[in-house]
């Protein structure tokens, strides 16, 4: 697994799951630069009073 273990522990501890790696196309000087990333997701709960 990639770097930033501290951030990964934070997201895992707070209920997020890693959906896996993807390449983010960041703006470069001439062309996009593909930056390796991971996307974390967290389910959202609906509360009966907010429906």
């Amino acid at each position: 697994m990639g770097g930033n273990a501290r951030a990964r522990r934070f997201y895992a501890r707070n209920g997020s799951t890693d959906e896996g790696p993807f390449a983010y196309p960041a703006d470069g000087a001439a062309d996009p630069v593909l930056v390796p990333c991971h996307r974390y997701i967290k389910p959202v709960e609906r509360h009966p009073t907010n429906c």
Side-chain angles (χ1 to χ4, degrees):
M1 220 182 257
N4 208 344
R6 183 177 177 195
R8 291 176 183 274
R9 285 191 306 270
F10 169 82
Y11 287 116
R13 184 175 57 245
N14 287 284
S16 296
T17 56
D18 185 355
E19 279 203 324
F22 70 99
Y24 175 78
D27 291 336
D31 295 313
V33 177
L34 296 178
V35 180
C37 300
H38 280 256
R39 177 176 288 119
Y40 282 81
I41 61 167
K42 183 174 181 178
V44 178
E45 296 180 24
R46 285 189 154 239
H47 295 282
T49 58
N50 294 336
C51 292

